[in-house]
Amino acid sequence: MALFLTISFSSIATGIHTWLAGTMQNEMLVKITEMAIAGISLLLFLVPLCFFLGYMERKVAAFMQIRLGPNRVGPKGSLQIVADTIKLLLKEGLTPTASDKFLFNLAPMIVVVTSMLVMAPIAFAKDFQIWDLSIGVLYVSSVSSIAVIGILMAGWSSYNKYSLLGAMRSGAQIVSYELSVGLSLISIVILTGSLRMSDIVMSQENGWWIFKGHIPVLISFVIFVIASTAEINRAPFDLAEAEQELTAGFHTEYSGMKFAMFLLAEYINLFVVSAIGATLFLGGWMPFHIGHWEAFNHIMDFIPSSLWFFGKTFAIIFIIMQFRWTFPRLRVDQLLTLEWKYLLPISMVNVLFVTVMAIMGWHF
Amino acid sequence: MSLLGEPELTEEGEFVINIGPQHPSTHGVLHLKVWLDGETIKKIQPHLGYIHRSIEKMSESLSYRNFIYATSRMDYLSAHINNQACALTVEKGLQIEAPPRAQAIRILMAELTRLSSHQLWWGCTGLDLGAVTPFFYAFRERELIMEIMEETCGARLTQNYSVPGGVMYDVHPNFQNRVKDVMKQVKSRFREYEEALTGNVIFEQRTKGVGYLSAEDAISFGCTGPTARASGVSCDIRKWFPYDGYDKLQFDEIIMTGGDSYTRYMVRMEEMKQSVAIIEQLIDNIPEGDFQAKTKMVIKLPKGEFYQRVETARGELGVYIVSDGAASPYRIKYRSPNFSNLSALSHMATGAKIGDLVAIMATIDLVIPDVDR
Amino acid sequence: MFLKDYFVTIYKSVGSLLKGMKVTGYYFTHPKEIQTQEYPDNRATLQMFDRFKGEVVMPHDENNEHRCTGCQACEIACPNGTIKIITKQELQPDGKKKKAIDTFVYHLELCTMCNMCVTACPSDAIKMAQTFEHSVYDKRQLKKVLNAPGSKLMEGVE
Ligand code: SF4
Ligand code: SF4
């Protein structure tokens, strides 16, 4: 156990790097091999993650709904999702005759790939990051907006009126909620003065932004959670799917593996959004530190940084899940009212406050 | 124009979607043809007949004792009240009255049915608006009422408990205690219902001002029940044409004037409380005596026409029997509340969004087998 | 006063949303409120109500005797032809012929559990059983003969 704790993710990563650099002379080759390793381990990480998120969602929903949830396959039903995935794999992937077949098959790929791309700048643990690029925050907010193209594509190519309505809703929704997400991210960028994810995490060494940044950062955190729930099309903002109105919205016509891809993307998005929120507002892998209480900070450092990261991420995921299982769905015009009349003006004023705070140095 | 009087070609920019017969929010096999302009509804045409079982025609070949069971399958959420209506009509024809004990039991069962029906409706309304969780809370309390039914009537949904002259058998010895327990629980949950759904700002936004129905329109469409009472039309049969001793009970007819989905919701929420009040008045005062009046083995109604109306959970149910003196009815006609309430849907939903249509359907509380019969 | 309204709206809305989350949060943290009954696992303890209408049965006593006289009142009372009674003429010891039941056919697939047959029976020969696991793979298995083979009428039942 002690051994396990001392081996951190970063030491594994450095170890692999030194070993590769030692065996291969060509630096290019080392880079490429490392990329391949990163990609494969990301995939290997994502699939169990999505299984777990699916299981968690069902259990959370069940407990809130005074049910037991899945409890048949595997211990406490934990393999239910695996069974469901196998079922989906074996199902016929139907392509409607009248659909635009190329786009129809491309759409789920685009949705999944974009959601995976956003994983790149996330710091999972101390010094453990796939790509610490200098414009991390910008990269996240721009890449994640590509997903809407996939959804529009799916809705349009399905040749189904329900799908089309769902896709159109989703277009309006994602484009408008992006503004709020962007503005709430900017408030942290202003305080940190850097777009680099690692800089943002390091800046929270003496306290997370949500504590250091007083009420304005708290407000941007709330706005971030609300707006990103909308951006990833989850209830109460799941108008693009809106089961009770549009049967299944943009993925009405999808079945089998292609449907599973949308599901996969949904869970990856959920994780990514929560991870970004945890990184920017709750300090990412940074343990809970209070100013100059050296002893306390030292004890906190003993908890592995990856645990801190995942703990915070799953806390946000839980909140988003609770939203889904508590609230009714908004109507399409109310959705836009919420964004343009409430979230956007508030976050704009909020950014102003944050700027003043940053200039005057009113934060800790 | 086609046979159904609907324009076959749509205007520029308009398109038609078929909501139902299989759709998550039509609660059964209702088929709505909806003309849309973007998300705005221009016109709705309900298509019926997917679950027509010709209960009325079938009843013509059944005896006066036997035709009652089929009415449990009309509005299956008010099954007991439907049975009661038929039994009352036959009693009217025979010019007998059920003994006081039978009447009290019938009212108790009817109010329990109303309560459970409204609870199911509450859950479904949440479900239709996208909040899945209230559905389960509603079912928890409904299950308790279903257990009362099961213990006394032997069935949970299709009880067939009312027979001409009274009820089929006496209540179970446990009945009173169980009902009192359940009422305590049900009452304690009302607050939770309010916290979970009624007060929720999203819910209010989704229902307030949605699907307005004026009092005049409610009357002209023949709406009854909570749907009409939310528009300010006083139409509670229990008050206007009391049957089975409703006139001896203290309860309020809930009338509100908003006319929108939120008001319809509130009317039903208040009605649940009234039902609890009725049950609590009666549960300790069930008169002693017979639970069934003596009737002949083969019932024959005298020549003539008999009509009886009752208040089901959804509105006025009328049973109209034409008798030619034989052992089975010559003609039976049910005036079902859902059919009339459905006819107002198109009027209410025109100009609304698709999301509103779901909210309106939920608050009219349609039961499709009752529309088609 | 626009601004005041604006903030009051926000305050109230957030309050109402939190109230809803309190309810779901309560149930999430109180697993003892869970209502699920794990049905096939609780078969041993599952108790149906004694009036529960599961299927029509004809009780036989230890001498393989039932109480059905073959009067066909149940057949007439049944609204949907679920019961078919085939009678025969039986020679009594005193030489007289008497109507007796040959087979009591009961179609479970048609039965609506309305209880009319049980109330109609003048000699309490049939009753409702509390079984409910009726599903079978072949519809023909649902056609049942209620009187046991070789059974006969109980003494003294008219
Ligand atoms: S319970 Fe009803 S349907 Fe079934 S056999 Fe008896 S009378 Fe017929
Ligand atoms: S079961 Fe009862 S009613 Fe039916 S034939 Fe036998 S004795 Fe008559």
Side-chain angles (χ1 to χ4, degrees):
Chain A
M1 192 64 199
L3 186 76
F4 177 74
L5 281 181
T6 48
I7 298 176
S8 64
F9 280 114
S10 64
S11 56
I12 298 172
T14 345
I16 292 175
H17 178 76
T18 7
W19 180 70
L20 279 178
T23 36
M24 293 178 202
Q25 301 308 318
N26 191 339
E27 204 171 311
M28 196 63 197
L29 210 61
V30 174
K31 270 255 153 62
I32 290 173
T33 326
E34 278 179 2
M35 273 181 197
I37 292 176
I40 290 168
S41 36
L42 188 64
L43 280 178
L44 287 182
F45 163 70
L46 280 180
V47 171
L49 176 80
C50 289
F51 283 168
F52 178 75
L53 282 178
Y55 178 66
M56 176 176 164
E57 169 123 87
R58 287 183 186 199
K59 277 291 187 193
V60 167
F63 276 43
M64 283 176 182
Q65 297 170 348
I66 47 176
R67 296 184 286 123
L68 281 175
N71 65 348
R72 295 286 134 158
V73 189
K76 298 236 166 229
S78 50
L79 297 179
Q80 182 66 49
I81 291 283
V82 182
D84 286 351
T85 314
I86 294 171
K87 184 198 78 177
L88 280 175
L89 276 172
L90 296 178
K91 279 206 164 180
E92 184 186 358
L94 217 64
T95 309
T97 359
S99 68
D100 184 331
K101 292 195 182 55
F102 176 67
L103 292 185
F104 185 82
N105 292 320
L106 187 64
M109 315 283 174
I110 289 188
V111 175
V112 171
V113 167
T114 46
S115 58
M116 281 187 186
L117 279 180
V118 189
M119 286 291 221
I122 292 173
F124 291 95
K126 197 172 183 209
D127 300 327
F128 191 72
Q129 204 171 355
I130 294 173
W131 185 19
D132 188 15
L133 75 173
S134 57
I135 48 158
V137 176
L138 192 62
Y139 171 85
V140 165
S141 67
S142 49
V143 170
S144 64
S145 45
I146 301 176
V148 69
I149 295 176
I151 291 177
L152 280 174
M153 214 181 245
W156 173 256
S157 62
S158 294
Y159 201 68
N160 179 324
K161 283 174 244 176
Y162 284 123
S163 306
L164 188 61
L165 278 172
M168 290 304 156
R169 283 178 174 191
S170 145
Q173 177 180 342
I174 293 182
V175 167
S176 31
Y177 275 83
E178 214 132 72
L179 296 169
S180 296
V181 174
L183 282 175
S184 50
L185 293 182
I186 278 180
S187 63
I188 294 299
V189 173
I190 290 169
L191 288 171
T192 332
S194 168
L195 289 164
R196 192 187 284 272
M197 285 286 185
S198 55
D199 289 351
I200 292 175
V201 175
M202 287 319 289
S203 71
Q204 311 186 50
E205 200 171 3
N206 52 352
W208 306 342
W209 276 121
I210 197 160
F211 301 125
K212 285 201 297 182
H214 310 295
I215 293 173
V217 174
L218 198 68
I219 292 176
S220 15
F221 179 63
V222 172
I223 289 177
F224 175 80
V225 172
I226 296 176
S228 48
T229 313
E231 217 196 331
I232 58 176
N233 273 330
R234 273 182 73 88
F237 306 104
D238 61 341
L239 284 112
E241 294 158 37
E243 192 200 332
Q244 284 81 9
E245 294 155 27
L246 305 178
T247 58
F250 66 92
H251 56 61
T252 307
E253 292 290 352
Y254 284 89
S255 58
M257 209 46 223
K258 276 174 253 165
F259 173 73
M261 298 261 251
F262 281 114
L263 223 56
L264 191 75
E266 184 185 333
Y267 285 124
I268 297 177
N269 279 331
L270 176 62
F271 179 80
V272 165
V273 158
S274 311
I276 305 270
T279 310
L280 262 63
F281 296 94
L282 305 179
W285 52 262
M286 190 58 80
F288 184 63
H289 285 172
I290 301 180
H292 300 292
W293 295 15
E294 295 303 336
F296 177 80
N297 292 352
H298 202 65
I299 295 171
M300 285 292 154
D301 283 341
F302 266 112
I303 302 173
S305 57
S306 51
L307 275 191
W308 279 107
F309 173 75
F310 282 103
K312 290 167 191 173
T313 308
F314 277 97
I316 299 182
I317 290 178
F318 178 79
I319 294 176
I320 296 183
M321 281 186 180
Q322 194 177 3
F323 283 170
R324 170 162 186 181
W325 299 108
T326 309
F327 300 138
R329 180 181 304 116
L330 281 89
R331 206 172 56 209
V332 66
D333 54 325
Q334 289 159 358
L335 182 90
L336 299 181
T337 311
L338 174 68
E339 163 65 18
W340 295 100
K341 272 196 175 161
Y342 293 94
L343 295 186
L344 190 63
I346 292 176
S347 45
M348 278 167 135
V349 174
N350 200 40
V351 167
L352 200 69
F353 281 131
V354 172
T355 319
V356 172
M357 219 167 71
I359 293 171
M360 309 299 267
W362 280 344
H363 56 85
F364 296 116
Chain B
M1 285 285 181
S2 75
L3 202 62
L4 288 158
E6 63 197 34
E8 279 175 355
L9 288 172
T10 48
E11 285 169 32
E12 180 85 19
E14 241 179 38
F15 66 102
V16 181
I17 60 171
N18 289 298
I19 295 189
Q22 287 117 2
H23 188 273
S25 68
T26 51
H27 300 296
V29 281
L30 176 64
H31 176 186
L32 297 175
K33 206 165 177 186
V34 184
W35 278 258
L36 289 173
D37 179 7
E39 285 242 358
T40 315
I41 293 165
K42 294 191 111 179
K43 188 166 127 76
I44 295 181
Q45 178 113 44
H47 285 204
L48 308 179
Y50 289 94
I51 190 163
H52 182 71
R53 292 145 300 168
S54 76
I55 289 179
E56 288 166 1
K57 187 72 189 165
M58 202 162 74
S59 303
E60 289 171 19
S61 58
L62 293 172
S63 78
Y64 283 110
R65 274 184 204 285
N66 283 356
F67 82 97
I68 296 177
Y69 88 98
T71 56
S72 303
R73 278 90 181 156
M74 285 173 11
D75 180 352
Y76 50 85
L77 295 176
S78 314
H80 174 81
I81 310 181
N82 295 351
N83 296 161
Q84 187 185 11
C86 296
L88 280 166
T89 322
V90 176
E91 281 162 21
K92 213 177 211 177
L94 291 173
Q95 292 182 331
I96 56 167
E97 213 176 61
R101 184 176 177 82
Q103 291 191 341
I105 295 173
R106 274 185 189 171
I107 291 186
L108 277 169
M109 284 298 177
E111 292 309 316
L112 284 171
T113 310
R114 194 184 317 279
L115 194 54
S116 74
S117 165
H118 281 356
Q119 270 162 352
L120 180 80
W121 155 84
W122 182 76
C124 287
T125 304
L127 192 65
D128 283 351
L129 296 176
V132 186
T133 309
F135 188 70
F136 293 88
Y137 299 161
F139 260 69
R140 175 185 52 193
E141 274 78 64
R142 184 167 179 271
E143 176 66 21
L144 299 172
I145 298 177
M146 289 289 111
E147 273 172 10
I148 300 176
M149 297 285 181
E150 197 179 342
E151 191 175 44
T152 287
C153 316
R156 296 157 65 86
L157 220 50
T158 53
Q159 293 107 349
N160 194 32
Y161 189 50
S162 279
V163 293
V167 290
M168 196 175 256
Y169 20 67
D170 207 352
V171 288
H172 196 274
N174 269 343
F175 181 72
Q176 278 169 317
N177 289 335
R178 195 179 274 270
V179 170
K180 275 185 230 165
D181 276 1
V182 171
M183 283 310 117
K184 223 179 282 162
Q185 285 216 37
V186 167
K187 270 201 299 193
S188 69
R189 300 290 188 195
F190 282 144
R191 231 195 91 202
E192 198 176 288
Y193 288 9
E194 258 144 46
E195 282 177 354
L197 204 57
T198 315
N200 192 305
V201 60
I202 303 177
F203 176 77
E204 281 183 8
Q205 290 283 320
R206 283 294 302 274
T207 49
K208 272 193 179 153
V210 167
Y212 178 73
L213 183 71
S214 66
E216 294 78 49
D217 287 332
I219 293 171
S220 70
F221 279 113
C223 295
T224 47
T227 311
R229 286 200 283 280
S231 302
V233 182
S234 167
C235 60
D236 196 331
I237 308 297
R238 296 174 293 173
K239 283 278 182 206
W240 285 89
F241 306 97
Y243 52 92
D244 270 347
Y246 267 114
D247 42 348
K248 295 180 209 118
L249 295 167
Q250 300 293 318
F251 66 98
D252 297 333
E253 179 181 3
I254 310 290
I255 301 175
M256 295 184 187
T257 47
D260 58 357
S261 294
Y262 187 73
T263 322
R264 287 192 280 277
Y265 174 89
M266 288 316 283
V267 166
R268 285 202 173 83
M269 294 305 273
E270 291 302 315
E271 270 191 11
M272 280 202 238
K273 291 176 189 156
Q274 290 302 320
S275 289
V276 173
I278 295 177
I279 293 167
E280 283 184 336
Q281 276 173 49
L282 214 50
I283 188 67
D284 282 321
N285 307 316
I286 307 178
E288 293 299 320
D290 287 340
F291 57 87
Q292 206 175 4
K294 282 268 170 298
T295 43
K296 288 218 193 74
M297 181 71 194
V298 178
I299 298 177
K300 282 188 181 160
L301 292 199
K303 236 186 167 106
E305 301 173 5
F306 310 99
Y307 185 72
Q308 172 70 43
R309 40 179 122 202
V310 296
E311 179 79 19
T312 73
R314 276 158 204 77
E316 174 184 338
L317 171 75
V319 180
Y320 177 57
I321 296 183
V322 182
S323 166
D324 57 356
S328 47
Y330 176 74
R331 173 82 171 92
I332 278 193
K333 159 84 186 141
Y334 298 112
R335 182 249 178 245
S336 68
N338 285 304
F339 187 78
S340 318
N341 290 353
L342 174 65
S343 67
L345 176 68
S346 176
H347 176 76
M348 284 192 243
T350 306
K353 304 262 185 299
I354 300 181
D356 293 337
L357 173 65
V358 176
I360 296 168
M361 273 203 286
T363 50
I364 310 180
D365 194 10
L366 291 171
V367 167
I368 309 308
D370 193 37
V371 177
D372 277 351
R373 297 193 291 290
Chain C
M1 279 302 87
F2 165 75
L3 253 143
K4 194 181 150 214
D5 283 353
Y6 184 80
F7 285 110
V8 167
T9 320
I10 293 176
Y11 178 75
K12 280 196 182 141
S13 321
V14 173
S16 76
L17 295 180
L18 287 179
K19 239 188 219 166
M21 287 178 69
K22 202 187 84 197
V23 176
T24 43
Y26 171 81
Y27 286 111
F28 184 76
T29 47
H30 289 70
K32 66 172 192 308
E33 298 268 0
I34 286 177
Q35 303 283 314
T36 312
Q37 294 181 9
E38 292 178 84
Y39 158 56
D41 300 342
N42 68 355
R43 264 211 193 99
T45 53
L46 188 65
Q47 191 72 47
M48 299 308 288
F49 291 109
D50 51 356
R51 283 188 190 174
F52 177 72
K53 296 184 276 195
E55 68 175 316
V56 177
V57 292
M58 182 183 285
H60 288 64
D61 67 3
E62 60 279 6
N63 304 328
N64 202 12
E65 289 174 340
H66 55 74
R67 298 173 65 88
C68 175
T69 56
C71 69
Q72 297 183 324
C74 52
E75 189 176 342
I76 297 163
C78 181
N80 44 9
T82 305
I83 297 174
K84 272 274 160 314
I85 287 166
I86 301 163
T87 53
K88 60 183 178 197
Q89 297 295 326
E90 218 165 46
L91 211 57
Q92 298 292 106
D94 55 359
K96 273 191 223 156
K97 275 193 179 167
K98 198 178 162 219
K99 193 166 135 188
I101 172 176
D102 182 53
T103 31
F104 187 115
V105 184
Y106 169 63
H107 293 268
L108 182 54
E109 77 270 27
L110 294 179
C111 181
T112 59
M113 314 299 166
C114 65
N115 211 34
M116 305 294 272
C117 51
V118 178
T119 44
C121 178
S123 47
D124 284 340
I126 44 177
K127 68 176 183 88
M128 280 289 179
Q130 277 72 51
T131 48
F132 57 93
E133 289 167 326
H134 293 312
S135 52
V136 287
Y137 285 107
D138 186 355
K139 191 170 130 189
R140 280 169 297 180
Q141 283 168 278
L142 291 173
K143 177 181 157 188
K144 298 186 175 177
V145 175
L146 294 192
N147 54 330
S151 62
K152 61 177 198 297
L153 184 62
M154 218 176 272
E155 283 296 313
V157 179
E158 281 305 318

